[in-house]
Amino acid sequence: MKTRTDTGLLFMQWLVILALAGTSLVFVVNVNDSTMLKRPILYVTTALLAAAWTSHSLQRMKIHRTFSAIDLAVLAYVALSAISLLNAPNLTLGVTGLGDLLCYALLFAVSIQLLEDRGFAQRIFKSLIGITIVAGIVAIFQHFSADRSSSVTIGRETISTFGNVTYFAGFLAPMVALLAARILANPRPEARIPMGLLLIVIGYLLITTEARSAWAGAAAGVLLLVFLNVRPARTRWIALGILAAAAVLMFLLFPEMVQRRLLAIVESNPTSSIARRLYFYKGAWNAFLASPLFGQGIGNFVAFLPKFRSPEYWMAHSEDIVPHAHNEFLEILSETGLSGLLGFVTIVGLTIRSAIKRMKQAESAERIMVAGLLCAIAAILMDNLASMNLRTVPVALMFWMILALLHEKRATEARSFSITLPQWVKKIHLAPYALFALLLIWYVPRVVERYRAQEFYLAGNLLRTQVKPGAALTMYTETISHDPDLADARIYLAANLAQQGRNEEARRHVDTILTKYPNYPMARFIHAIADFELGDTTRAIRTMAEEMQLETSPQTVYYASLFRRKLNQPDSEYACLKLLLSNSIRSGSIDHAKEGIENLADLCSRPGAPAGCADLVSNIRKTFPQNLSLLLAAEDFYEAVGSLQEAESTLEQARAINPDDPGVKGRLARLAVSQRAAKGLH
């Protein structure tokens, strides 16, 4: 490549490779989000690529572009995603989500044009292998240098440069199919050995990630590769037998880990990962039903999910803030509606058609590599039926690059157009780079501010776990001064302020959160407490009721009962206490159950007490027969309502747990006196 034009094209090729490598390998430490630079790298490299492409066109005095069905499908998908922003509760998240998609679409479109140089495809393949080697070395170092005395499973700490063990697994799953295809396609045995060794290493690392969806993705990719490339039935069965033997070997080498992870799929525990995902899936489906055509807004899943998931989600003991659906198709459906899902499925369908067409026309080695690319797509899609890896920058970028490679040859179906530009535009061919420089001057300081915010946020979280609320408050204040949109830090700040009695400040911070996150978990809870402390009881009751529509956690329901208690509203208080204790029985949670029983005793010992109090307490005793504090609270309840026989039975149950407990003995002696007094009066 000796001409200036060829040099420009080569520069653009390396920009694409830089985007792949940078988003996969760059990470930061001592911040709360080690992946925070991956999106800026995507944006900067894409913007520079756009500048380079525009400058290249100005220099040639011609805008030339080829279009095919896949280009139109990608444009339509981007446009439909943009329309979904009309429903977005948080435009900042929506613009970010759309910005990501625009970057992927631009990299895809430019890469297809650059792939007219056949060497570019080889550079992408080699780059992916190089990225895998570097990431694998980092992962091996992490794996074998981890503290083996820790209670955390060592393998689950193997995150490499991806910031999360699941993200790393999402990258490895398609690489298994790509490497297997490259081994099959290479006719030289000596070249297959290093690729085979690399495949064994990444297979081992994939197993140690314990990411079941990625295991399924890798298995689906390899099985499809066998199906597409091994024709004779007998040979195909031999290949499948080898794969089965590999699965058995995996079980023999990692019996405890494999058994534990696979059995977890079928466990009925309400806190299992499967149970938690069901809440996400149902919430995503409900969001789709509420806006079936264009969805709730691209990038806004975290903002609208609390509104559509069950208020009993807390029973899963999972994180309050859920950024993604852990199912790519449901997330697309909920964010961009049926139109967006149709656009995405069309892109995938056209890619499959292109791959099949190329496989029919290609010779043996190329056919295997095309099959490997198709199997990598299958691995990613299979993985993302139960993960969120396509929402991470490295995996998403890999996905779109593989799509581009599968549409590399499209001469028979593409249509070209050219626009000749006047000669003077050649003089301003550096103007796009000047615009890029201005963009960089505007953007880089904002990235630096976010980096500082993440530093302070991490420090605040550490101080909060060390029960140092004053110091944590300072760190959270610094955090939002650098990144006002970081709602997680602001909610902790508001909670700390409310605990210190600074209710006006707490309420202002919560109001700021609710302007962009109208369904943010626990925001209304803090707001209601601040309202009540400031004397605005009507608003406090209303706000707490709104919170209970989003979440009926023990803390929320208990404080709702306290509000009613202080306002002398016994019927409403009883309804809250009944919900609190019923949920405790259903979930197995004892949070605020003791306090609930104590307040129920006072409420139900009054004249005209509601029916069903004793049944609630009796069910608590049956559900938690070994919990001494709850049994003693139940005994107090029975004494308060005059059920001395039940009180005695409860104390006997408590004594069976701890016969030497002096408190239980004292209560039994006191109860005996009460019973004798009751008999004397009788």
Side-chain angles (χ1 to χ4, degrees):
M1 291 190 174
K2 297 180 181 179
T3 67
R4 294 174 66 186
T5 301
D6 289 339
T7 303
L9 290 174
L10 186 60
F11 174 61
M12 284 184 272
Q13 291 179 16
W14 283 107
L15 278 178
V16 173
I17 292 170
L18 178 63
L20 275 170
T23 55
S24 296
L25 300 178
V26 172
F27 67 102
V28 288
V29 295
N30 297 326
V31 294
N32 191 66
D33 179 11
S34 64
T35 68
M36 61 164 295
L37 291 183
K38 294 184 183 296
R39 179 172 281 116
I41 289 170
L42 173 69
Y43 287 0
V44 169
T45 52
T46 304
L48 183 55
L49 183 64
W53 184 265
T54 306
S55 177
H56 178 259
S57 299
L58 294 176
Q59 204 170 9
R60 294 173 60 202
M61 296 177 294
K62 180 190 293 186
I63 297 175
H64 177 77
R65 178 69 193 171
T66 56
F67 270 95
S68 64
I70 187 63
D71 298 286
L72 297 176
V74 171
L75 282 174
Y77 181 46
V78 172
L80 292 169
S81 298
I83 292 172
S84 75
L85 290 179
L86 296 173
N87 298 327
N90 187 320
L91 279 178
T92 302
L93 293 176
V95 169
T96 301
L98 186 63
D100 292 351
L101 183 58
L102 282 169
C103 288
Y104 301 139
L106 183 59
L107 283 161
F108 169 82
V110 173
S111 294
I112 284 184
Q113 296 291 108
L114 295 175
L115 282 165
E116 292 176 3
D117 172 11
R118 292 303 307 277
F120 183 40
Q122 290 300 316
R123 292 187 191 100
I124 291 178
F125 274 116
K126 291 178 180 178
S127 299
L128 286 173
I129 292 172
I131 292 167
T132 304
I133 292 172
V134 174
I137 291 171
V138 174
I140 290 170
F141 174 78
Q142 290 172 344
H143 183 70
F144 289 103
S145 64
D147 181 7
R148 296 186 178 276
S149 64
S150 171
S151 60
V152 179
T153 304
I154 298 298
R156 297 294 283 173
E157 294 299 301
T158 310
I159 63 174
S160 186
T161 58
F162 291 82
N164 181 288
V165 66
T166 306
Y167 306 166
F168 183 41
F171 175 84
L172 293 179
M175 285 305 303
V176 170
L178 286 177
L179 283 172
R182 196 166 182 87
I183 292 169
L184 292 174
N186 201 316
R188 294 180 301 151
E190 67 275 10
R192 293 180 177 181
I193 294 173
M195 288 295 101
L197 292 174
L198 179 59
L199 182 59
I200 292 171
V201 171
I202 69 168
Y204 171 78
L205 292 174
L206 180 59
I207 293 169
T208 61
T209 63
E210 301 187 23
R212 293 163 299 191
S213 61
W215 292 354
V222 172
L223 287 172
L224 183 60
L225 187 66
V226 170
F227 178 80
L228 292 175
N229 287 291
V230 180
R231 288 305 180 89
R234 182 179 177 184
T235 308
R236 184 177 294 174
W237 279 110
I238 292 173
L240 292 175
I242 294 172
L243 292 176
V248 172
L249 181 62
M250 170 182 164
F251 181 81
L252 293 175
L253 291 174
F254 308 93
E256 183 180 346
M257 181 263 288
V258 172
Q259 184 176 5
R260 171 169 49 82
R261 297 298 289 169
L262 293 181
L263 287 178
I265 297 175
V266 296
E267 68 180 2
S268 57
N269 188 340
T271 63
S272 69
S273 59
I274 303 299
R276 295 199 303 270
R277 279 170 171 76
L278 292 178
Y279 283 104
F280 310 156
Y281 298 162
K282 188 173 181 180
W285 182 254
N286 289 337
F288 158 68
L289 293 178
S291 180
L293 189 56
F294 294 113
Q296 304 288 338
I298 186 172
N300 271 259
F301 188 85
V302 68
F304 63 71
L305 176 65
K307 178 181 178 181
F308 295 104
R309 73 186 177 198
S310 168
E312 296 177 348
Y313 168 68
W314 64 271
M315 294 185 185
H317 298 290
S318 189
E319 64 272 21
D320 280 336
I321 310 303
V322 181
H324 301 289
H326 292 260
N327 180 293
E328 182 65 18
F329 296 98
L330 279 174
E331 188 156 353
I332 292 172
L333 195 64
S334 62
E335 289 190 344
T336 60
L338 201 58
S339 59
L341 181 64
L342 182 62
F344 181 76
V345 170
T346 300
I347 292 171
V348 174
L350 289 173
T351 301
I352 294 172
R353 188 188 72 170
S354 174
I356 293 173
K357 185 176 180 180
R358 284 182 60 186
M359 287 171 63
K360 290 179 178 178
Q361 298 172 349
E363 296 182 0
S364 178
E366 184 182 354
R367 182 183 182 281
I368 293 172
M369 288 309 303
V370 172
L373 291 168
L374 184 60
C375 294
I377 292 292
I380 291 173
L381 294 178
M382 174 63 76
D383 173 31
N384 282 270
L385 288 177
S387 79
M388 45 153 296
N389 291 320
L390 259 178
R391 298 289 163 152
T392 66
V393 175
V395 178
L397 186 53
M398 174 198 275
F399 176 78
W400 283 90
M401 286 299 97
I402 294 173
L403 290 182
L405 288 168
L406 284 169
H407 290 279
E408 176 187 356
K409 291 185 176 180
R410 51 179 192 155
T412 57
E413 58 181 26
R415 299 290 182 269
S416 300
F417 77 89
S418 296
I419 299 175
T420 302
L421 301 174
Q423 190 169 4
W424 62 267
V425 301
K426 193 172 183 179
K427 298 178 181 180
I428 61 168
H429 73 278
L430 294 179
Y433 289 109
L435 289 174
F436 169 76
L438 291 174
L439 177 66
L440 214 58
I441 292 171
W442 172 83
Y443 184 59
V444 169
R446 284 159 174 77
V447 175
V448 173
E449 285 294 287
R450 293 194 190 102
Y451 177 83
R452 296 288 292 154
Q454 290 292 330
E455 278 188 315
F456 285 116
Y457 185 39
L458 176 63
N461 288 342
L462 292 174
L463 290 167
R464 182 166 58 90
T465 58
Q466 296 167 8
V467 196
K468 297 178 180 178
L473 180 67
T474 302
M475 291 298 102
Y476 290 138
T477 303
E478 286 288 343
T479 298
I480 63 169
S481 71
H482 290 279
D483 186 0
D485 292 330
L486 192 55
D488 293 3
R490 196 180 286 274
I491 197 73
Y492 289 133
L493 176 59
N496 280 359
L497 289 169
Q499 287 175 351
Q500 296 183 14
R502 298 161 64 178
N503 294 297
E504 283 284 5
E505 294 175 71
R507 196 159 62 171
R508 283 198 299 270
H509 283 294
V510 172
D511 284 334
T512 301
I513 293 171
L514 292 175
T515 57
K516 289 192 173 184
Y517 294 88
N519 308 299
Y520 200 91
M522 299 305 289
R524 285 178 173 81
F525 173 80
I526 297 170
H527 203 296
I529 292 175
D531 289 337
F532 201 89
E533 293 296 325
L534 291 168
D536 193 349
T537 57
T538 302
R539 184 178 181 182
I541 292 291
R542 184 180 68 249
T543 305
M544 191 65 85
E546 291 172 356
E547 178 68 23
M548 287 175 64
Q549 290 178 350
L550 299 175
E551 183 177 89
T552 56
S553 67
Q555 188 179 26
T556 302
V557 179
Y558 176 67
Y559 272 84
S561 74
L562 286 185
F563 288 176
R564 300 294 186 173
R565 184 181 186 81
K566 291 179 180 180
L567 295 174
N568 195 25
Q569 298 174 355
D571 291 342
S572 298
E573 181 190 356
Y574 174 72
C576 291
L577 291 175
K578 181 179 179 180
L579 178 60
L580 171 66
L581 296 177
S582 298
N583 283 347
S584 295
I585 293 165
R586 293 176 54 215
S587 66
S589 170
I590 63 169
D591 293 346
H592 294 288
K594 178 177 178 292
E595 297 93 329
I597 295 171
E598 291 170 348
N599 290 345
L600 191 68
D602 179 61
L603 189 65
C604 295
S605 61
R606 301 174 186 177
C613 293
D615 291 339
L616 276 174
V617 177
S618 176
N619 288 331
I620 287 287
R621 285 177 56 194
K622 293 176 183 176
T623 306
F624 306 101
Q626 298 298 315
N627 191 294
L628 189 60
S629 64
L630 291 185
L631 291 178
L632 295 180
E635 189 272 334
D636 286 336
F637 168 85
Y638 288 126
E639 278 203 66
V641 299
S643 299
L644 299 183
Q645 187 175 356
E646 288 293 335
E648 183 180 14
S649 173
T650 305
L651 283 176
E652 291 294 341
Q653 187 178 351
R655 186 162 65 174
I657 298 172
N658 189 352
D660 300 323
D661 189 295
V664 174
K665 290 180 178 179
R667 283 171 177 257
L668 281 168
R670 188 192 67 205
L671 182 60
V673 173
S674 299
Q675 287 175 327
R676 285 196 297 270
K679 288 179 181 179
L681 288 174
H682 182 70

